[in-house]
Amino acid sequence: MRHSPNLSALRTAAVGMVVVSHLPFLPQHSPVYHTQALGYLGVMIFFVLTSLVLLQSLHRQHQKSGFPLSTITFMVQRAFRIYPLSLAAVSVMALFACASGSPVPLGTLLANLTLTQNITGAPSLPP
C-alpha cells in the first residue's frame, strides 16, 4: 500500500469542513444548512480516513518486520506520539487556570491527565 494523494485531499476537505463550522461570522442555524452538522460530518469523515491511514501504516510495518508483535510496537509508538502532547496541553491549561485564580480541582486534573473524563464525568481541559 502506498500513499494516496486522494486520501490526503479527502482528509484536508474534512478538516476544512470543521474549520468552516467554527467560523464566527457564519450563522449557526440556517434554513439551508446547519454549520454544526457540517463540523460533525467533517470530524466523522476525518476519523474514518485517519483510521484507514493508521491501518495502512500498521500493515506496512508488519510487512517490513514480519514479526507478530509489530501491532504492539505500533500501538506503543502511537501512544508515545500522542500522549505527551495531551499531557502538555492539559498541564498548560491547568497552569493558566491557576494563574487566573480559578484552580482546577484535583479529580478533574487527574481525569484529564489519564484521559478518563468519559468515565469520571469530569470536564475536559482544554474545554
Side-chain angles (χ1 to χ4, degrees):
M1 293 185 188
R2 58 185 175 81
H3 173 72
S4 169
N6 292 335
L7 194 57
S8 295
L10 286 172
R11 288 174 72 196
T12 302
V15 169
M17 292 166 70
V18 173
V19 169
V20 166
S21 74
H22 283 86
L23 293 176
F25 54 82
L26 288 178
Q28 291 299 311
H29 301 286
S30 162
V32 179
Y33 60 88
H34 192 271
T35 57
Q36 190 174 15
L38 180 70
Y40 286 143
L41 180 62
V43 167
M44 288 182 201
I45 291 170
F46 180 81
F47 279 118
V48 167
L49 296 175
T50 299
S51 297
L52 179 61
V53 169
L54 288 174
L55 286 174
Q56 288 175 342
S57 176
L58 178 60
H59 182 70
R60 279 192 305 273
Q61 185 177 10
H62 184 67
Q63 282 182 327
K64 274 188 205 173
S65 69
F67 191 61
L69 291 179
S70 64
T71 302
I72 294 171
T73 303
F74 178 80
M75 293 300 194
V76 168
Q77 288 173 342
R78 295 301 303 169
F80 277 104
R81 186 174 181 185
I82 296 168
Y83 194 56
L85 181 59
S86 173
L87 290 175
V90 168
S91 300
V92 167
M93 291 305 292
L95 288 173
F96 281 150
C98 285
S100 70
S102 57
V104 177
L106 183 60
T108 300
L109 181 61
L110 290 175
N112 277 266
L113 291 173
T114 58
L115 302 177
T116 56
Q117 306 95 294
N118 60 331
I119 296 169
T120 63
S124 293
L125 295 174

